[in-house]
Amino acid sequence: MSKTETLRQSAAASNETRLERLASQIEAVRQSRHQSAEELAATLEPLAQAMAALAEETRQTLTEIDRKSREQGEQFSRQIETAAASWRSAAQEAQTAADRLNQAGARMEWQHYGLAVMTGLITAALVSGFWLWLAPPTVQNQLDPKAVAEYLKPAVIAALKPSKGR
């Protein structure tokens, strides 16, 4: 419950009590039979003073309530402005962070492409180097056609001889 509401409730309770007393005094004046104007004035004077005091107190209470309401309104406006400013600041920071994240993602994409190309090149260089370094020795035979013919000659002659069963 705010201060203004508490003040209003207190003023309302005080006013109700005074109004009840005034109502009872007015009823007493209405029922009484006065002999003279002085007697009536003496009876009405406290009633008039009480009503004037009630009006003055009500005016002061309403002024105080109005002042408190304005203070609360101004305080609430300041709080809303502060919150809105902090929200705008947070939104700006979030946008900046999102932009940086996008830039980092783009850089990382190109870094991955570069890493894939470099991995391929290094792998190709290592495979080629190891292939050349660990390649089995090449055997280079030079065949002498005459020696080969002499070597194969008995087998070829035996294959070409007519067989006895023919």
Side-chain angles (χ1 to χ4, degrees):
M1 184 180 299
S2 70
K3 293 177 185 177
T4 304
E5 291 174 3
T6 305
L7 192 58
R8 281 184 185 162
Q9 288 179 355
S10 172
S14 175
N15 286 344
E16 282 183 36
T17 305
R18 284 190 174 172
L19 284 175
E20 288 174 9
R21 281 189 292 156
L22 286 173
S24 67
Q25 287 177 353
I26 290 172
E27 189 60 35
V29 168
R30 191 179 296 152
Q31 291 177 357
S32 69
R33 302 272 185 241
H34 297 288
Q35 300 295 329
S36 67
E38 289 85 25
E39 210 176 281
L40 180 61
T43 306
L44 287 178
E45 184 177 348
L47 182 61
Q49 287 176 352
M51 288 178 77
L54 178 63
E56 179 61 25
E57 187 176 315
T58 301
R59 184 190 62 76
Q60 289 175 352
T61 303
L62 289 175
T63 303
E64 182 68 19
I65 288 172
D66 184 51
R67 185 182 66 78
K68 293 281 187 183
S69 295
R70 288 182 193 273
E71 286 176 5
Q72 277 186 332
E74 290 171 359
Q75 183 181 12
F76 184 68
S77 295
R78 282 192 304 269
Q79 288 174 346
I80 286 179
E81 288 172 6
T82 303
S86 66
W87 289 339
R88 282 190 291 271
S89 173
Q92 181 63 35
E93 289 174 10
Q95 183 63 40
T96 303
D99 291 341
R100 288 180 183 163
L101 190 59
N102 284 338
Q103 291 171 354
R107 280 193 310 266
M108 185 161 294
E109 182 178 344
W110 284 108
Q111 287 174 350
H112 284 155
Y113 289 144
L115 180 63
V117 167
M118 289 305 296
T119 301
L121 290 175
I122 290 172
T123 302
L126 286 174
V127 166
S128 297
F130 284 131
W131 189 298
L132 292 175
W133 183 48
L134 297 176
T138 54
V139 177
Q140 293 183 350
N141 291 329
Q142 293 202 352
L143 297 175
D144 183 19
K146 285 183 182 181
V148 172
E150 287 295 321
Y151 180 75
L152 293 177
K153 185 176 181 183
V156 171
I157 292 176
L160 291 177
K161 276 187 184 180
S163 64
K164 294 186 180 181
R166 271 197 199 172

